[in-house]
Amino acid sequence: MEFLRGALAEVCKGQMDEVEQMKRCLEVLCRDECKERGSKEEGEEALEMLSELCENLDNARDLMKLGGLDLCMSRCLCHSEAGIRWRAAQLIASCAQNMPEVQFYLLNQGALLTLLQLTDHDANSTVRVKALYAVSCLVREQEAGLRDFLSHDGFSVLMRGMQSDNEKLRTKSAFLLLNLLTSHPEHKGSADST
């Protein structure tokens, strides 16, 4: 019994350490941008660390509760540096994947429209690919996400992505389109009309 208590305490301590790491990363992202030398690199490293930590579903939920997703959407997705934007999209994807609570939260915050716009219009190809990945995590097997996707003419974004010069964007757009139409054949007409 004592061994089990010790093991459980160690697991809880590990989870608390990860929450502290997430808080430190959020502090880095909250600093005024461009005022400190190396702030871009620090921001990129913080987003990468958060993405890694949020592969654990409990951490994704904790990040949401800490306000990290709001910060990511309000400051990072619209950042002037492409490296920050694509890492922010990656973080949103990591948090949303297979996590309905986080998906609903992000959908209610308007993340899908922002991600569709990045997929469609960002000048940086990596941002476009990562934003599409996040879109996929919000709409696949998620009825509310699919409704939001349809209301923002998401099929048109996918069709334009399939015409891109970027091979990854073409492939991922085609894959998401196929997945959505296989799961929801009733929307085939919506895709045909774009």
Side-chain angles (χ1 to χ4, degrees):
M1 193 60 131
E2 191 171 317
F3 170 76
L4 288 176
R5 281 193 197 120
L8 187 57
E10 191 61 34
V11 167
C12 291
K13 180 180 179 272
Q15 185 67 28
M16 288 306 293
D17 288 345
E18 289 181 354
V19 169
E20 289 305 314
Q21 285 179 333
M22 289 191 295
K23 286 179 181 177
R24 284 194 297 277
C25 289
L26 292 175
E27 288 171 8
V28 168
L29 295 173
C30 282
R31 290 185 197 145
D32 287 342
E33 292 125 21
C34 303
K35 287 191 175 180
E36 296 178 36
R37 185 177 168 95
S39 65
K40 175 190 161 216
E41 290 80 13
E42 287 178 1
E44 289 176 354
E45 288 173 13
L47 287 165
E48 286 178 10
M49 173 66 77
L50 287 170
S51 285
E52 228 176 87
L53 289 168
C54 289
E55 288 176 9
N56 173 330
L57 298 180
D58 290 332
N59 288 340
R61 185 181 301 110
D62 288 341
L63 183 67
M64 179 183 73
K65 291 176 181 175
L66 290 169
L69 294 177
D70 292 327
L71 179 67
C72 185
M73 289 186 297
S74 67
R75 286 196 185 183
C76 301
L77 284 178
C78 60
H79 199 277
S80 61
E81 295 288 339
I84 299 289
R85 290 193 310 277
W86 77 253
R87 286 172 177 86
Q90 174 74 38
L91 174 58
I92 287 176
S94 296
C95 290
Q97 194 169 25
N98 304 316
M99 190 64 163
E101 181 182 356
V102 174
Q103 291 167 341
F104 285 124
Y105 180 81
L106 288 166
L107 291 168
N108 287 332
Q109 299 301 313
L112 187 60
L113 177 59
T114 302
L115 292 164
L116 284 168
Q117 290 169 341
L118 288 172
T119 300
D120 214 11
H121 303 295
D122 200 278
N124 183 280
S125 60
T126 304
V127 173
R128 295 178 75 192
V129 169
K130 296 296 184 175
L132 180 59
Y133 174 46
V135 167
S136 176
C137 291
L138 288 171
V139 302
R140 289 176 51 205
E141 308 303 324
Q142 172 53 265
E143 290 299 320
L146 180 62
R147 282 193 305 274
D148 206 13
F149 177 83
L150 293 170
S151 75
H152 296 303
D153 200 20
F155 283 122
S156 292
V157 174
L158 295 181
M159 298 302 270
R160 288 188 291 275
M162 290 177 9
Q163 297 166 11
S164 168
D165 293 337
N166 182 312
E167 184 180 350
K168 275 188 172 182
L169 186 62
R170 281 195 316 265
T171 303
K172 291 179 183 296
S173 295
F175 181 78
L176 181 55
L177 180 65
L178 177 64
N179 178 278
L180 292 175
L181 294 179
T182 301
S183 300
H184 302 279
E186 69 275 12
H187 294 297
K188 187 178 183 309
S190 299
D192 287 341
S193 65
T194 57

